[in-house]
Amino acid sequence: MADFTSADGRPAVSGVNSTKGPGVRGTSVGGSGVVGSVTGPGGPDTTAIWGETPKGRSIVGVVNGDGAGVWGDVRTGRAVVGVARDGGATGVWGEASNGVGVIGKDNGGGDGVVGEGRRGVVGRSPSFQGVFGWSEQNAGVVGESRRQYGLYGLSWDAAGAGVFAYNENPAGCAARLQGRVEVIGGDVVLKGGDLILGNADCAEDFDIAEDQSAEPGTVMVMTEEGTLRASSGAYDRKVAGVISGAGQYRPGLILDRPEPSPCRRPIALLGKVFCKVDATERPVAVGDLLTTADRPGHAMRVDDPARAFGAVLGKALGSLAHGQGLVPVLVALQ
């Protein structure tokens, strides 16, 4: 065994080939063909094996059986580093006929593969998935952005979709969104199944008169200016509905809301809503028809059907023996 030592900074072993053959070749029957080792303290730029070429591949690892073309194992630092300085070059290239081109694995709490660049990681496939993520107990793929979209999907196929979600469990959800959902242009199409809204009423945004500060549960009537104000008289045929959001009920669907505005309120036009009710003179029971009361913003039980025509707000779903309070109401303007 030959032992070459250098103490003046020059390479201990140097191989130069003036033709296209290898500069240095290492062959072993059962061990390592070439071993690079740094025994000193080293530093962030210390390299055990360095490969550099103006074109082509600086380091190539080929395995004809089971194993790995290139294996990197490191305690601290980087196991394998590939640097490409030319715009069309490749820092690290992994290729396999029927296996895995590149494997990155971290057995601690780090990351198996990290990519940095114009696109951090790019996956391409002519006939299958470009990028695949799998996890036993957490999310398969996570996208996060501080300024734009966490996940962006684009499709050019008329029969395809920018984003597709599917759940193998029939009891599970194909997609779960937390927070505001905005659809810009296009249609929302439901093919089969039901549209289930967890909240109670169908509401529509209306402009509120400037001198009004109506709260949820207030009975509202129309004005000549096209705005709404709190009701102030009995059997008012200008009744428009109840401001949604009082008690435990929230609007399930809000119409005509381009953007939330302090000058607009969602008015429950259909469904269940908590409403301010005045039972001072007459108690309210389940099933009673309700109309506007003399007390501002309140409803009361209908006692005069002739006056109530066109002024009915809905039916009481709860009861109130006396005084004022919030009562659940099934809104049905008539």
Side-chain angles (χ1 to χ4, degrees), residues 248-272:
Q248 67 190 54
Y249 293 148
R250 296 294 180 271
L253 180 66
I254 300 179
L255 307 176
D256 192 23
R257 173 178 279 187
E259 290 293 338
S261 168
C263 300
R264 294 169 68 84
R265 295 286 190 279
I267 306 300
L269 307 177
L270 183 67
K272 296 180 293 184

Side-chain angles (χ1 to χ4, degrees), residues 37 104 140-141 177-178 219 316:
S37 176
V141 175
L177 307 175
Q178 181 176 340
V219 179

Side-chain angles (χ1 to χ4, degrees), residues 36-39 42-51 59 78-81 83:
S37 176
V38 178
T39 58
D45 297 327
T46 301
T47 305
I49 297 177
W50 179 277
I59 296 177
R78 297 177 175 88
V80 177
V81 176
V83 179

Side-chain angles (χ1 to χ4, degrees), residues 25-28 31-34 57-71 93-97 100-101:
R25 176 187 291 274
T27 303
S28 175
S32 302
V34 177
R57 300 176 177 91
S58 60
I59 296 177
V60 176
V62 179
V63 174
N64 294 319
D66 294 335
V70 176
W71 178 274
W93 178 280
E95 183 173 341
S97 298
V100 180

Side-chain angles (χ1 to χ4, degrees), residues 27-334:
T27 303
S28 175
V29 175
S32 302
V34 177
V35 175
S37 176
V38 178
T39 58
D45 297 327
T46 301
T47 305
I49 297 177
W50 179 277
E52 183 174 348
T53 179
K55 290 184 179 180
R57 300 176 177 91
S58 60
I59 296 177
V60 176
V62 179
V63 174
N64 294 319
D66 294 335
V70 176
W71 178 274
D73 187 357
V74 68
R75 302 296 182 268
T76 60
R78 297 177 175 88
V80 177
V81 176
V83 179
R85 293 185 173 87
D86 184 45
T90 302
V92 176
W93 178 280
E95 183 173 341
S97 298
N98 194 25
V100 180
V102 176
I103 292 180
K105 182 178 181 181
D106 182 88
N107 294 321
D111 302 310
V113 176
V114 174
E116 296 183 6
R118 177 177 175 267
R119 291 188 174 97
V121 176
V122 175
R124 297 177 182 174
S125 175
S127 59
F128 210 57
Q129 290 99 349
V131 175
F132 176 79
W134 182 90
S135 174
E136 178 71 37
Q137 299 180 355
N138 212 299
V141 175
V142 174
E144 182 177 344
S145 174
R146 293 190 181 277
R147 293 186 178 273
Q148 217 192 50
Y149 309 113
L151 183 64
Y152 182 90
L154 177 64
S155 174
W156 296 97
D157 188 356
V163 177
F164 176 81
Y166 179 73
N167 194 326
E168 291 282 358
N169 192 324
C173 296
R176 180 176 285 116
L177 307 175
Q178 181 176 340
R180 181 177 176 180
V181 178
E182 184 177 279
V183 178
I184 303 174
D187 301 321
V188 177
V189 181
L190 180 66
K191 294 184 177 180
D194 299 318
L195 178 62
I196 301 174
L197 303 177
N199 290 330
D201 65 73
C202 174
E204 183 168 353
D205 260 13
F206 283 87
D207 290 323
I208 305 300
E210 293 183 1
D211 60 342
Q212 298 287 307
S213 58
E215 61 184 2
T218 304
V219 179
M220 305 296 288
V221 297
M222 295 174 282
T223 69
E224 296 294 337
E225 292 75 25
T227 60
L228 299 185
R229 62 169 177 82
S231 62
S232 58
Y235 296 98
D236 193 337
R237 295 186 180 182
K238 296 189 293 295
V239 62
V242 181
I243 295 182
S244 180
Q248 67 190 54
Y249 293 148
R250 296 294 180 271
L253 180 66
I254 300 179
L255 307 176
D256 192 23
R257 173 178 279 187
E259 290 293 338
S261 168
C263 300
R264 294 169 68 84
R265 295 286 190 279
I267 306 300
L269 307 177
L270 183 67
K272 296 180 293 184
V273 65
F274 272 91
C275 175
K276 294 179 180 180
V277 171
D278 183 12
T280 302
E281 297 183 4
R282 54 188 71 87
V284 173
V286 175
D288 282 346
L289 292 177
L290 299 178
T291 185
T292 59
D294 286 326
R295 183 177 296 274
H298 284 65
M300 68 177 184
R301 188 185 75 194
V302 170
D303 277 347
D304 189 342
R307 293 183 63 192
F309 180 76
V312 172
L313 175 66
K315 279 191 174 184
L317 295 175
S319 59
L320 184 65
H322 55 80
Q324 298 88 41
L326 285 173
V327 173
V329 172
L330 178 62
V331 177
L333 298 172
Q334 53 183 288

